[in-house]
Amino acid sequence: MAGIGPRAHDWAQRLRAAYPDAGADGLARLASRRFVRVAGAGGAAAAVAGLFAPVAELAAVLWTQAGLVLHVAAAYGRDPRDAERAVELLVLTQVHPDAASARTALAAARAADGPGDRPWPRAAEAAWRLAAPLAAQAGGWAVLRLASRLLPGAAVLAAAAGDAAAAERLAARAVAAYRPVRAS
């Protein structure tokens, strides 16, 4: 997040300077469309990775999700460099059910960074939490590989469509979380 947050902040600042009349909803739509396209392309690229497709997809999905949430946050005036965005990212991506659980997990991860600690068990647990949603798709990858033998390109199209749809759902959750409540 250390690299993505500053880029999201700069992106929002540049767009606000170039288009001073653009509203937060418009900026959020731009970010959402951009990262939905990136998610689709990442899914398609991962599908051609062969045996390493699930790992490639995990990397693409995690990067895309972080970028999407941080850019939407920046569109609505939240500082994407703030550590609280990491908590929100874990909740919006449904890695943790609530902010308290996410804060506890992040505090535990930070505590494990001390000298003499053995970070591998904690790192493995964190990786599993992040990979669990994709691990559930392992059977789906096997079916897609079989289908792609019968219909060349089916895995690429399915992965692209699936990742783009997941990014659209995440964008909707992020917009709902960051958009200010409007008085009626």
Side-chain angles (χ1 to χ4, degrees):
M1 286 210 10
I4 300 172
R7 284 194 300 264
H9 178 265
D10 293 345
W11 169 84
Q13 295 296 86
R14 279 193 316 273
L15 284 179
R16 283 193 182 96
Y19 306 101
D21 293 334
D25 287 334
L27 295 180
R29 273 193 305 280
L30 282 174
S32 297
R33 288 181 182 157
R34 172 184 173 192
F35 284 97
V36 166
R37 281 193 308 271
V38 168
V48 298
L51 181 62
F52 299 105
V55 174
E57 184 178 27
L58 175 64
V61 165
L62 294 177
W63 181 86
T64 301
Q65 288 178 343
L68 172 60
V69 169
L70 294 175
H71 280 74
V72 170
Y76 285 107
R78 305 278 181 98
D79 186 353
R81 302 165 299 182
D82 189 326
E84 189 64 17
R85 298 300 86 79
V87 171
E88 295 162 357
L89 177 64
L90 291 172
V91 173
L92 289 169
T93 56
Q94 300 174 335
V95 172
H96 285 278
D98 55 43
S101 169
R103 277 189 197 93
T104 301
L106 287 170
R110 286 183 189 112
D113 287 341
D117 286 338
R118 298 182 65 205
W120 286 111
R122 290 192 190 275
E125 178 186 351
W128 175 250
R129 280 186 167 273
L130 293 171
L134 291 178
Q137 296 176 355
W141 274 108
V143 170
L144 282 176
R145 289 190 54 80
L146 179 62
S148 68
R149 291 178 192 253
L150 300 173
L151 298 167
V156 172
L157 294 175
D163 285 359
E168 286 176 350
R169 290 189 301 272
L170 176 60
R173 289 192 302 273
V175 167
Y178 293 123
R179 178 186 281 155
V181 177
R182 295 191 172 127
S184 25

